[in-house]
Amino acid sequence: MSQAKPQKTLTILNTRPSPMGEELQRLLTPQFISHHFPTVTNKAIELPNKAPLKQWLQDSSFAWIFVSRPTAMYFRQLLQQYGLDNFSPAGGVFAIGESTKSELKQFIRTPNVPTQSNQENHSTLQIMTPELSNSESFLTIKQLDDYQSFVQVKGKGGRELIGQSLTQRGKQYFPLELYQREMLQYSSSQVDSWLECDCILATSIDIAKGIFTNLSQQSSRKNIQLLLHKIKWVVLSERIKQFLIDNKIKEEHIFICEESDNSSIINTINLISK
């Protein structure tokens, strides 16, 4: 009786930027072969004008929107520049994605309110999240109606959907751009190693653009076609999937994660490997 062939170990191209990429790499390597090549990096930028941060924090009609984990990380740095250790808004807080929510929980607190025993209340403020980790799902949250003004912490040049929608609803909208994305470039030998991969992770359109740019600059057209026709893609949204389809990737080769966290990404890769 012939023995079944051992299952091939899946090789992953992990393009997730820091620090999520390194965290994912540690989770992937016990089970898969994983190459970490982030195609974008985030760089802090200075605000053109000093934001009235403390005024916004004290106004209960304001709500704060964080669309990704980096937005929470860079906002924490901004608070420190203002001499604030914690994020204690009088209004509401919305986070897209569980990883964003977890990052905020590290430094968010309710405003200090004296209790009957004259002790300060340092409990954690509730963070509201949409059912799905995308802007479209966020805009369906009913609690948005409870606030008149919104501060969206974001990267420069990011999607304008949230701001446009809130403005159309008659809300005040203040974008707070704290960082910008920069594309990373690799050598031809590094990019050639991508040809060995069975699966590519692309968690944003900018990351997917970085993959295609590096391929077009450092690899032959023949190799690119070979890669694009054999490889599976793991993405986080229908928008990224459509971008890949527009760039000639077959729809049946694209898999969408249920959530944006690393556990969901690994679950999706496990499904592909079966």
Side-chain angles (χ1 to χ4, degrees), residues 44 136 138 148 179 227 263:
E136 289 79 4
F138 163 77
Q148 183 54 39
Y179 64 96
L227 178 70
S263 296

Side-chain angles (χ1 to χ4, degrees), residues 86 108-113 119-125:
N86 296 316
I108 192 170
R109 299 290 184 273
T110 56
N112 294 335
V113 179
Q119 293 180 341
E120 291 183 334
N121 176 13
H122 290 286
S123 59
T124 302
L125 192 71

Side-chain angles (χ1 to χ4, degrees), residues 3 32 118 140 172 199 221 236 240 268:
Q3 292 183 341
F32 305 103
N118 293 324
T140 66
Q172 285 188 305
C199 177
R221 184 176 181 85
L236 300 186
I240 306 171
T268 304

